[in-house]
Amino acid sequence: MNADVIAASARPAYRDVNVLRWLTAYTASVTGDVVYFLALSWAATRTGGPSQVGLVVAAGALPRAVFMLGGGVVADRFGPRRVAVVSDAVRCAVILAAAAAAMLASPSVWLLATVALIFGVVDAVFMPAVGALPPRITAPEQLARVQGMRGLSIRLSNAVGPLLAGTVLVMGGAAGAFTAAGVLFALSLVTLLTVRISSSAEVSQRASVWRELGDGLRYIRRHRMLAPLVTVIGLSEMCFSGPVATGLVLLADERGWGASGMGWIASAFSVGAAASALLLTVATRIPRAGPAMCAALLATAAGAVALGNAPSLPIAVVFGSLIGLTSGFTTTLTGALVQTETDPRYLGRVTAVTTLCTLGLAPVLFPAVGITVALWGADMFFIGCGTICLLAAALSVCVPVIRRAELQPPRFTSPTGR
């Protein structure tokens, strides 16, 4: 690391100006994502009706999932900071162009689908790059705190973004909302340019893209910690990266709790997740990280089943806050473990794989939510979520290297992690 990064790494992450710059850029980016997505959905609804919204959203979600792994290769080949800056600039330009088009005339469904397609491809490059930056801007022992700060950033963005989108949509329509999203991406870009990283981090590789991708996947498969840990992440996040939100809507409707009941449960989930992120942000250390993660997974599994079978709304709110707390803890801890264990040369590709597990595959699962609830009821859906989470907990307990995992700097001696 360079001298400035070394000096800053001695401070807690929440007092490190360099980390705070990255966090500001990340927060602006996530908030921009929320505003952009709502503006896109709103414009598609007004232009083509509800039936066209799925087409437009899928036009962005599909390429993001398909190209996510390739985005990790690009981040490792050219350096995550450089890739994040360039892709952020492209995102900003695309959304501001969409705003200009919306000002001139009512955008067609095909124009919106094209914007979503381009944005999805660029987002597949940006997400692994910006996610791979923390180990390059702080010390390994601060990564849990950084992941906690990232969790707080996501919760803040998800709270502020819809309010901002609603305000600008009322005042300026889709053009105003696209402009607001573009301004947020511009803020993210400018802030990213000020982030300092270790001088040895920018490593360019010369192999073909396919060979580098295969090399990254083999690295994960052969790594004694990452191989099972990525599987745990995929199982634990399969339901809680999006499908649970749809499940909450259907549960509230089935039980007659209405939209306000759904809102109370969703808010309790967010508060619980924010509480876990705050706890991990200020904690001096996390002893016995592996057993703590296993316990959180078991609690999440039990909480999901209890939520689906809650006899009243207040009890459902309590269990909603519980699974928000425990699933948020697991997400933060697994993220820190991945970044602590991964050789920096592979961090973009590993981040791409974990991001694909948590976000890229979520759209594929949404239809399964509706089918499950329609056939067997909302309680069965949450039992299924609990069962999947229980499998993640069982895997964590059965794999010794995860069960004994600690957040400490690893030794990069071989791809197998030995």
Side-chain angles (χ1 to χ4, degrees):
M1 292 187 176
N2 60 37
D4 291 337
V5 175
I6 291 174
S9 66
R11 296 192 296 269
Y14 53 82
R15 295 181 181 176
D16 186 340
V17 174
N18 198 42
V19 172
L20 294 177
R21 291 192 189 109
W22 171 84
L23 186 67
T24 300
Y26 187 82
T27 303
S29 174
V30 175
T31 307
D33 280 339
V34 173
V35 175
Y36 153 75
F37 179 80
L38 292 176
L40 184 73
S41 301
W42 177 265
T45 301
R46 298 298 295 268
T47 301
S51 62
Q52 301 298 322
V53 175
L55 172 66
V56 173
V57 173
L62 183 61
R64 184 175 68 175
V66 170
F67 293 108
M68 185 72 70
L69 297 180
V73 173
V74 173
D76 285 336
R77 172 175 285 197
F78 299 103
R81 180 180 178 275
R82 184 181 302 148
V83 172
V85 166
V86 172
S87 55
D88 221 5
V90 175
R91 295 196 313 165
C92 181
V94 169
I95 299 308
L96 290 179
M103 289 178 186
L104 296 175
S106 178
S108 66
V109 170
W110 292 111
L111 174 62
L112 294 173
T114 301
V115 170
L117 175 67
I118 298 173
F119 190 90
V121 172
V122 179
D123 212 31
V125 178
F126 175 80
M127 294 177 69
V130 75
L133 281 174
R136 291 169 163 84
I137 61 176
T138 191
E141 60 268 19
Q142 294 296 322
L143 287 175
R145 279 177 168 163
V146 173
Q147 292 302 309
M149 294 163 68
R150 176 177 173 271
L152 285 173
S153 167
I154 293 172
R155 298 302 163 187
L156 175 63
S157 299
N158 287 337
V160 173
L163 296 176
L164 177 59
T167 301
V168 293
L169 280 170
V170 170
M171 296 177 62
F178 282 134
T179 300
V183 170
L184 286 166
F185 292 140
L187 174 60
S188 173
L189 171 63
V190 171
T191 312
L192 273 177
L193 289 170
T194 67
V195 175
R196 301 185 304 273
I197 63 173
S198 61
S199 57
S200 60
E202 303 292 337
V203 179
S204 178
Q205 300 186 29
R206 300 298 180 184
S208 68
V209 172
W210 287 110
R211 183 171 295 179
E212 289 185 37
L213 177 57
D215 185 39
L217 295 177
R218 283 191 297 273
Y219 171 78
I220 295 174
R221 188 180 72 247
R222 295 172 180 173
H223 197 290
R224 62 194 183 98
M225 168 70 85
L226 291 179
L229 184 58
V230 168
T231 305
V232 169
I233 291 172
L235 289 172
S236 63
E237 292 292 324
M238 183 179 294
C239 297
F240 296 96
S241 59
V244 157
T246 304
L248 289 178
V249 174
L250 298 176
L251 176 67
D253 180 66
E254 183 179 279
R255 301 295 172 82
W257 295 334
S260 61
M262 180 272 297
W264 275 105
I265 302 172
S267 296
F269 182 93
S270 296
V271 169
S276 68
L278 180 61
L279 173 65
L280 292 171
T281 297
V282 300
T284 56
R285 62 185 296 267
I286 303 174
R288 300 178 61 80
M293 182 180 68
C294 296
L297 286 168
L298 288 171
T300 303
V305 174
L307 173 61
N309 291 274
S312 65
L313 177 58
I315 295 177
V317 169
V318 171
F319 285 122
S321 64
L322 170 65
I323 63 174
L325 178 70
T326 54
S327 65
F329 182 88
T330 301
T331 299
T332 301
L333 197 53
T334 53
L337 284 170
V338 165
Q339 295 197 331
T340 301
E341 289 289 331
T342 303
D343 185 329
R345 294 174 300 169
Y346 293 91
L347 195 52
R349 281 162 285 183
V350 174
T351 302
V353 171
T354 57
T355 303
L356 184 63
C357 290
T358 57
L359 296 177
L361 298 180
V364 180
L365 300 174
F366 286 128
V369 180
I371 293 172
T372 301
V373 174
L375 292 177
W376 300 292
D379 56 342
M380 186 58 65
F381 165 73
F382 283 96
I383 290 174
C385 290
T387 301
I388 294 171
C389 200
L390 184 61
L391 289 175
L395 179 60
S396 301
V397 171
C398 293
V399 177
V401 71
I402 295 182
R403 191 173 64 245
R404 297 194 295 263
E406 295 288 351
L407 286 172
Q408 58 188 8
R411 296 183 178 90
F412 300 123
T413 56
S414 72
T416 60
R418 294 172 183 165

